[in-house]
Structure formats: C-alpha cells, structure tokens
Amino acid sequence: MPLFRGQARPGGRGSSRGSLFRGSSFRSRGSERGRGRGQSNGRGNGRSRTGKKAAFYSTRVEDLNDPNGEEVPEQGEAETPNASDGEESPLSESDSQDDSLYAEKSHSVLLKVLIQDEDLEPKRKRRRLSSNEIHNGTPVSQSWENGIENHADENIDIVVASDGEEDLAATGGPDSDDEDLTSQDASTRGPFSVHFGKEHDIPLVTKGTSNPSTLAVRTVSPVSGWSATEYAPDTAKGSTTSIAKDPFLKQRLKSKGEKVLQTLTGVQSWLGQRIFHYQDMLFQDRALRNTEYLRRVLCLHALNHIFKTRDRILKNNTKLTRESSDDMELRDQGFTRPKVLFILPTRQACFELVEEMMRLCEPEQQENRKRFQDSFSGSFEDIPTDKPDDFRELFAGNDDDMFRIGLKFTRKNVKYFSAFYSSDILLASPLGLKMAIGEEGDKKKDYDFLSSIELCIIDHADAMTMQNWEHVEYIFQNMNLQPKEAHGCDFSRVRHWYLDGNAKYYRQTIVTTAFVTPDINLLFGRYMQNFSGRIRCGKETYQGTMLDLPIQLKQTFSRFVTTSVPNQSDERFKYFTNAIIPTLTRKSRSENARESGILIFIPSYMDFVRVRNFLATSSTTQNISFGSISEYTSAREVARARSHFYSGRHSVLLYTERAHHFRRMVIKGARKIIMYALPDNPIFYKELAGDFLAASLLVGKAELQEVVVRSVFSKFDVFKLQRIVGSQRWEKMIRAPEDTFDFV
C-alpha cells in the first residue's frame, strides 16, 4: 500500500516524527519520540495493539491508486485493521475483541472531531510546497504555464483551488479572454487575436526592404506640426477604430485602462492606436511634456499582452483536460516564458515604470517589494536645482546603468526578482542584459530567455547612445533565435512561426527617443521588421536651436568634403588640422592677440583622443597650452582643468559630448566655441554656444564683439544639422556650392 505523509512505516524506526497532517489540526501522538510502551517497537513508531497503525489523510492529498489495483481509502477514512496484514497479536481472543471495539470507537470519535475542525477552518486557497515535496508526492508538469517554477533550489508557489473553485480565466469568467480567436468578425477579434491568431504570409511582408512593391508607404499628419511615415504591407493598412471606444483590455485592467485611454487626445490617441495594434514604432519626439502618458500607455499595453497570453494558455489547458483528443492541436506558446522586454537607461527609470504597472494592475501581494524599492529607487535631493529639467529627469534618484530584473505575474500577485525563465516581463539596461547573455564565443553564453520576446520597448533611446549603443545592437542580434536547450518546453503547444524561425517578424518593437541618430535609424531599418508594418513619427519641422540662444552672436558653419561614411572621420580630422589649427597657432604667436578662451567640443571619444594626441605631439601646436575634460576624467581633474581654463593658464580646452551629458557643467572663461562635430542633442548646442559664452560675458571674461561659434559638418550630418539650423536651412547648406555659412 502506498504511504502518505504522516503515516508511519510498520516496524520502522521513527518514520514519522510529529508530522502535522495538512488540512487538519491533528498531530499523531504515536509519532512523538519515546512515547508509549509495550508494542511501540522502537522510538516513535506509535503502533496500535491491533497491528498496523491507522492512517489518516488530509484534505489536500490527491487520491492515488495502489499499484496492485487496490483503491486508496477516501479522505477521512481509516484503514480497517486486519490480522493477516500485520504480525500475530500475543493477546487472548477476548482481549483482542475488546481492544478492537475500543479502537473502533475511539477512532470514530476522533474522526468526528477532525471533521468538525475542518468545517470551522476556512478553505485554503494557497499552500507552499518545497521542491522535494513536489517531486516526491505531486505530479509536476514541465511546462511553465501550469504555474510551477522548475528550480530545485527555490520554493514554489502553487495555486490550489478550494472545493468548487476554478480559475476564472479557465472557466470563461469575468477575466476570461475577451477576444474571439476564431471569429471572422473584426469587431470581436481584437488586435491580439488578429496579430497572433493565425499564420501570416511572412515571405510576402518581410522582404519590403529588398522589394519595395510589397510595401505601401504613406505620410500622414495626425495634428498640425506633426508628421508620420508608415511603412506597411498592402495586407496591413492599419485599423481606423478609436482605441478609446474599443480597447480590448483584460477585465482586471479595464477600470484603470479605459480611463487612461479616454484622456488621450490628438496625437496621443493616434499613437495609442498604433501601439495597441502591434505595429513597430519609432517615436522621435520624447520630451518631459509627454513622458508620463507614454509610460502609462506602454505599461498598459505590456500588461494587457501578458494577461491575454497567460489566460489564453490557461483556457487551452482546461480545454485539453476536458476534451482530450489526439486530433486537437492548440498552439499558444513560445519556447520560453518571457514575452515582454523593457530596455531602460537607469534603475530609477525602471522603478518608475514598474510603479506605473502596479498602479494599473493593483496586485493583492507583491513579493520582494522592499528589496526592489531599496535596490532601484534613490533620493531626488542629490541633483542640484540649477541643472536642466531633462538632466534631472534622467539622473535623479538611482542613476545606475547596470541592472536586470524579472517580474512574474499571477492572477493576484507579482513577484520581483524572479528567475528569467520564470518571468513574464524582463527589465534591464543594455549593459546589464549583455552581461546576462555573455560575450560572443563564451561557452556559457545564454540567449534562450530572449527567444520568445513578442514585445520589446526601448524607452529613452537617446540616453543609451550616450552609454554604449553597441550593447543594444548586441541584444537585438541575440533576440528571437532558436534556443539551444528545451527548458521544459512543450513543443506540441509552440506556435508554428517560432518553429520556423519567424518570431522576429511577429515581434513588436517600440523605440522612444528625443532625437534620431544614425545608430537609431539603423536599428529602425534593420531590426524592426514587423509584418504589420512600422511607423516613424515626430515633428514635421524644426525651427532650429540656433535661434534660441540667450545672446546674439556670430555663428559660422563650415562644410568639409567627404566621399563616404567610413572615410568621414579621417577627412574631418584632415580638415581640422588644415583649416582650424592654423588659426589657433597664428593667434598664439601674436603678441597682441588674446589667444586664450578657446573651447573645442568633440562628440566622439575616439576623435577626442586623436585631437588630444595631435596637440600634445605635433610641432605646430607646441605653443598651445591645453587641458581636457572627457567622460573618464575624475572630478578632481575636472575642477583643475576648469580652473586653469578660467584663469587663462590653458588657452584651449577639449570637451567631449558625453562629459557634458553626464555633468551638464557651465564652463566659464570661453570666448570662442569650436565644434569639431555637431552634437546629437540639439540642446547641447544651445547650452555650449549660449550658456557658456553668456557666463563668460557675465563675469567679464569676454566681450560681446569677440564671442563666436564655429561648427564643422558634412553632408552626412543631416539629422544634426536639421535640428540645429532648422528645416528651412539645412537642405540649402548641404547642396549649396559654398562651404561656409555665417548667421548673426
């Protein structure tokens, strides 16, 4: 006969020491150490005189069948003692009968007491089992969709339904899937079902870059001053239904979600519609004014996707259980559990985004909440009040850019710091996620947790260009690949496009940025290949930050000739040494010239090292004293370089774009700003050309007639030039036969 927890093995030694039966408050006295005499037969055996000890069963133990075909007694029933089952009793026949009657009567009374205790005890909905307990006594499915984490070193949360209780998602209750996957009516098939509910003609819609005839390109203007270019296949023209009236949200998100969508107006509503219809999007006008609603809509979309995916799987699990058939095929899963990936610049950005998720879904319990708050949030008082607002938004709080975390959602709870393969949503910085994947060629390299990502969101991409954009490209190179291991996957439930290697064409990628760089533009063209189409949206025209300077000064733009992008760096350096350096050396040799106060702004660190080495080693620059500030310069060296530049001890100061991004200093003492290349961030041009020179004028280190800004650009600097000089001027400056343009 099979043994259950709390049942003593006949003739054994202390096989059950004080075990508490699940589902009742009864503790076996026979299991106490050294209690009882006579027939105890060793420590803690607690055998009755009639032979084998009666076994009691908790209300939580599953009914099992004996291997020999005998049925296990029902819950609450005891085994009937049988002399043939145990050892022969040394008692007389009369004593045996009396003892049997007494044992049966005592046992009946005990059962009544147990039943009464169970009636008074509230029904348990959850219990916590160790991994050993599950593997030893409970059948465990290898598929994560059954709610079990397959980690031997972790405790496992299992939802145990009480009598008569079933999962609402499985029974089609209030939180059941509100989209009809099989319906042909568009009004009942929401964006989730349309996008993931059937196989699409991938070869037709994914070769748009090489075969433009398969794409329909159209430009629209949602509101005045805005422009959007949509690259969509002929089979996906986009929905025209207002998302505020037809959001297709899960029941647990409707109360908060519909309020969010109803507040969207104008371009916000237009953007939300495209986001919820699973189209790739490059939003290139992220700013403080729209950060809050963008975060809220993106979190709502991510949670809605997770809940729909999970409930669809639970519903199909119930269908397979009730209607088991060899002909039934339900494809509703990927290779691994994680479906949503957020790539964020700082821990504080991750904390605020997760906070928005919690406000939307309102879980009853948050596991590891305090640990998450202590690790990801920080004080906002460390940032000086004189810093710009965009700097305070990015670096206030915890500005660590090395992190990764997984979130696991159940019906009512959220678990922070869950294992990647047990998580629904992954949130990480580019550096943190690359370290989790591993280096190229590493034997322990693991990218399988990215194999089933269906929604990838990059928020604040412009900040990541100031970190290391190569990490972002590395992540996309290892996303939606065929996994190297099964990880307990049920391949009979895996969608066909995963098996065919077409998962990247179903993935929705959303990128938000304050401005576009060539790297971000390359990401848009190479890795955003959604079959539903992709959209680039932002400002239609730029006025130009050169018009927003606090003082009126001379601004000169010099164009150099370059033949290709790979040769641009060498040709820029050649132009700088032949056209810019001679003007500096002539002033340094002149006795009447005020040669100090020249700040050279260099965006690229590689170009910075090249110019610094040239000034230090070239014979033509031996009379020029210079200092340098880069992103790797210590705070002490920065203070020294600024002091020497202000006092005139250094006539030239080299300054990188990343140093300004991470510090946002106002350097005093500058009379002339030379931009080796235009900055990616147009705000930096205003701060360097306007604030730096205005500060020098304020302290009397410069005069208005001598302050000037000179910038060097090429025909490949279209994005930078347009944001700085404006949409009406950049094209003439690129195509004009002249190479120098002065603005006063």
Side-chain angles (χ1 to χ4, degrees):
M1 172 175 292
L3 296 176
F4 295 87
R5 294 189 178 275
Q7 178 179 347
R9 185 184 303 274
R13 233 177 113 83
S15 58
S16 178
R17 300 175 55 181
S19 299
L20 181 65
F21 292 103
R22 299 188 182 273
S24 67
S25 59
F26 170 73
R27 186 182 296 273
S28 171
R29 291 185 58 88
S31 61
E32 297 288 346
R33 176 183 299 185
R35 295 288 182 92
R37 294 187 181 183
Q39 300 298 324
S40 61
N41 194 21
R43 287 195 314 170
N45 188 24
R47 233 177 15 170
S48 65
R49 297 187 204 179
T50 54
K52 186 181 296 186
K53 172 187 172 182
F56 300 94
Y57 302 91
S58 106
T59 59
R60 298 295 182 187
V61 180
E62 296 184 4
D63 296 335
L64 300 177
N65 291 330
D66 185 86
N68 298 327
E70 299 180 1
E71 186 178 357
V72 177
E74 297 292 337
Q75 297 179 5
E77 294 182 356
E79 293 182 52
T80 303
N82 191 340
S84 61
D85 294 337
E87 301 176 356
E88 184 177 355
S89 175
L91 301 178
S92 64
E93 182 177 356
S94 59
D95 293 339
S96 299
Q97 293 177 355
D98 294 339
D99 290 341
S100 299
L101 293 174
Y102 177 79
E104 292 178 1
K105 182 177 180 181
S106 301
H107 178 57
S108 301
V109 173
L110 181 59
L111 284 179
K112 292 181 180 179
V113 173
L114 291 179
I115 295 175
Q116 292 177 358
D117 291 341
E118 290 182 359
D119 293 338
L120 296 175
E121 188 179 21
K123 295 295 184 179
R124 296 185 180 182
K125 295 184 178 180
R126 300 186 64 90
R127 60 173 172 154
R128 194 169 188 86
L129 305 179
S130 64
S131 58
N132 293 333
E133 185 178 354
I134 289 178
H135 290 292
N136 291 337
T138 305
V140 178
S141 172
Q142 297 297 322
S143 179
W144 65 265
E145 289 79 3
N146 292 330
I148 300 177
E149 298 180 28
N150 298 318
H151 297 282
D153 58 342
E154 296 184 1
N155 290 332
I156 299 173
D157 291 336
I158 303 179
V159 178
V160 181
S162 59
D163 296 340
E165 182 184 51
E166 294 180 287
D167 194 340
L168 293 177
T171 58
D175 199 29
S176 63
D177 200 347
D178 47 4
E179 296 185 22
D180 189 355
L181 189 65
T182 60
S183 175
Q184 299 299 324
D185 186 1
S187 62
T188 60
R189 300 187 70 233
F192 179 84
S193 298
V194 172
H195 193 80
F196 297 103
K198 66 176 183 178
E199 296 291 327
H200 296 272
D201 194 357
I202 294 300
L204 172 64
V205 300
T206 56
K207 297 182 179 180
T209 55
S210 59
N211 185 11
S213 60
T214 62
L215 291 179
V217 182
R218 59 177 180 176
T219 302
V220 297
S221 180
V223 295
S224 177
W226 259 68
S227 177
T229 304
E230 182 176 4
Y231 306 85
D234 293 336
T235 57
K237 296 296 184 181
S239 175
T240 59
T241 304
S242 174
I243 59 170
K245 297 180 181 179
D246 197 10
F248 288 96
L249 297 178
K250 296 300 296 182
Q251 184 67 29
R252 61 190 296 188
L253 296 173
K254 277 190 175 182
S255 59
K256 292 293 185 67
E258 290 183 349
K259 293 180 181 179
V260 171
L261 298 179
Q262 289 172 0
T263 59
L264 303 183
T265 59
V267 68
Q268 301 175 3
S269 179
W270 187 89
L271 288 173
Q273 178 181 350
R274 268 63 186 175
I275 290 175
F276 275 87
H277 283 75
Y278 289 95
Q279 290 180 292
D280 287 349
M281 176 175 294
L282 173 58
F283 179 72
Q284 52 196 35
D285 190 33
R286 187 188 187 278
L288 289 174
R289 66 182 184 276
N290 54 34
T291 300
E292 184 177 354
Y293 90 81
L294 274 176
R295 182 186 297 124
R296 188 173 298 130
V297 170
L298 292 176
C299 289
L300 180 62
H301 180 47
L303 290 174
N304 193 49
H305 180 79
I306 289 297
F307 295 159
K308 284 181 179 291
T309 301
R310 175 181 176 273
D311 290 349
R312 180 64 53 82
I313 293 173
L314 291 175
K315 193 173 183 179
N316 288 340
N317 286 348
T318 305
K319 185 182 296 185
L320 288 174
T321 303
R322 296 176 177 176
E323 305 174 9
S324 57
S325 174
D326 296 338
D327 298 333
M328 181 179 296
E329 183 182 56
L330 298 175
R331 300 283 181 172
D332 53 10
Q333 302 179 17
F335 294 114
T336 55
R337 178 166 183 166
K339 292 295 183 294
V340 177
L341 171 64
F342 280 92
I343 303 178
L344 305 166
T346 63
R347 285 179 178 259
Q348 189 66 38
C350 177
F351 176 80
E352 294 175 359
L353 188 137
V354 173
E355 285 291 282
E356 186 64 40
M357 289 187 188
M358 298 303 106
R359 284 191 289 267
L360 289 172
C361 65
E362 297 180 334
E364 293 185 0
Q365 182 179 355
Q366 301 180 39
E367 188 176 346
N368 299 327
R369 164 70 187 183
K370 188 177 185 303
R371 175 188 171 191
F372 172 73
Q373 186 170 356
D374 295 341
S375 302
F376 281 78
S377 64
S379 174
F380 284 72
E381 299 177 356
D382 299 336
I383 304 297
T385 57
D386 59 346
K387 295 296 183 182
D389 292 338
D390 62 316
F391 179 84
R392 294 177 59 84
E393 184 218 356
L394 179 60
F395 292 104
N398 193 336
D399 61 352
D400 183 18
D401 61 353
M402 166 60 185
F403 67 91
R404 53 185 178 267
I405 184 175
L407 296 181
K408 175 185 176 181
F409 289 82
T410 58
R411 289 185 59 216
K412 298 181 180 180
N413 301 335
V414 174
K415 179 179 180 180
Y416 300 89
F417 299 99
S418 58
F420 270 16
Y421 287 98
S422 303
S423 303
D424 297 298
I425 299 179
L426 306 179
L427 305 99
S429 65
L431 176 60
L433 197 56
K434 181 183 179 181
M435 295 188 66
I437 297 173
E439 296 291 340
E440 197 69 43
D442 189 356
K443 293 183 179 179
K444 297 183 179 180
K445 179 180 177 181
D446 183 14
Y447 50 78
D448 292 354
F449 57 87
L450 298 176
S451 62
S452 302
I453 296 297
E454 297 174 349
L455 175 59
C456 178
I457 299 175
I458 305 178
D459 189 25
H460 221 318
D462 52 295
M464 300 176 197
T465 60
M466 294 291 108
Q467 296 175 354
N468 193 336
W469 188 255
E470 293 181 356
H471 297 337
V472 179
E473 294 181 348
Y474 186 78
I475 293 171
F476 275 87
Q477 291 171 3
N478 292 275
M479 192 183 302
N480 293 126
L481 301 179
Q482 297 288 334
K484 295 185 294 185
E485 299 180 8
H487 301 285
C489 173
D490 182 3
F491 288 95
S492 65
R493 300 278 295 275
V494 176
R495 293 186 172 106
H496 288 293
W497 63 77
Y498 281 108
L499 302 175
D500 297 338
N502 293 327
K504 62 182 179 180
Y505 302 125
Y506 286 79
R507 182 189 69 229
Q508 182 187 23
T509 305
I510 301 174
V511 180
T512 66
T513 178
F515 51 85
V516 177
T517 66
D519 292 330
I520 297 177
N521 196 49
L522 181 63
L523 179 73
F524 176 77
R526 178 176 295 178
Y527 296 108
M528 300 172 69
Q529 303 177 3
N530 194 329
F531 74 86
S532 294
R534 53 186 179 176
I535 302 172
R536 179 202 300 270
C537 54
K539 289 183 179 179
E540 186 175 6
T541 59
Y542 292 90
Q543 297 297 325
T545 55
M546 62 178 293
L547 304 178
D548 299 332
L549 302 186
I551 58 176
Q552 187 175 1
L553 52 85
K554 181 181 179 181
Q555 304 178 58
T556 302
F557 294 85
S558 302
R559 188 186 69 221
F560 68 94
V561 179
T562 180
T563 57
S564 62
V565 174
N567 297 332
Q568 183 178 195
S569 179
D570 295 336
E571 292 169 348
R572 187 187 299 272
F573 179 76
K574 181 179 179 181
Y575 178 85
F576 178 79
T577 55
N578 294 336
I580 306 297
I581 292 296
T583 62
L584 303 181
T585 56
R586 284 196 300 267
K587 288 185 177 182
S588 64
R589 291 193 299 265
S590 176
E591 297 180 358
N592 299 326
R594 300 174 63 183
E595 73 281 359
S596 62
I598 301 175
L599 188 144
I600 302 177
F601 175 79
I602 308 175
S604 171
Y605 182 77
M606 301 301 296
D607 292 336
F608 165 81
V609 173
R610 193 173 188 179
V611 173
R612 184 189 61 185
N613 294 342
F614 176 81
L615 294 178
T617 59
S618 176
S619 58
T620 60
T621 59
Q622 58 184 356
N623 296 327
I624 300 178
S625 61
F626 72 98
S628 62
I629 299 177
S630 71
E631 56 268 35
Y632 301 108
T633 307
S634 64
R636 182 178 180 181
E637 293 297 327
V638 169
R640 180 182 301 174
R642 294 181 64 182
S643 176
H644 290 340
F645 183 69
Y646 179 80
S647 64
R649 186 173 179 179
H650 287 164
S651 60
V652 176
L653 178 65
L654 305 182
Y655 190 48
T656 64
E657 184 175 14
R658 287 185 178 179
H660 188 68
H661 169 78
F662 289 108
R663 300 178 185 272
R664 299 298 276 273
M665 301 176 292
V666 177
I667 300 178
K668 301 176 182 179
R671 297 185 178 92
K672 183 177 183 179
I673 305 293
I674 297 177
M675 295 194 175
Y676 186 85
L678 296 174
D680 284 314
N681 193 339
I683 299 178
F684 291 177
Y685 182 89
K686 174 181 177 294
E687 293 177 349
L688 269 69
D691 298 346
F692 282 23
L693 296 178
S696 299
L697 292 173
L698 187 63
V699 298
K701 283 294 183 178
E703 298 179 1
L704 184 60
Q705 63 270 16
E706 66 179 353
V707 294
V708 65
V709 178
R710 183 175 182 180
S711 305
V712 179
F713 71 95
S714 72
K715 63 180 181 181
F716 298 112
D717 296 329
V718 174
F719 293 130
K720 303 177 183 179
L721 191 64
Q722 182 182 12
R723 293 189 289 264
I724 293 175
V725 304
S727 302
Q728 298 179 354
R729 305 176 185 88
W730 72 269
E731 190 171 358
K732 297 179 181 179
M733 297 173 63
I734 291 292
R735 299 181 179 181
E738 301 84 5
D739 58 1
T740 302
F741 307 89
D742 295 328
F743 300 92
V744 179

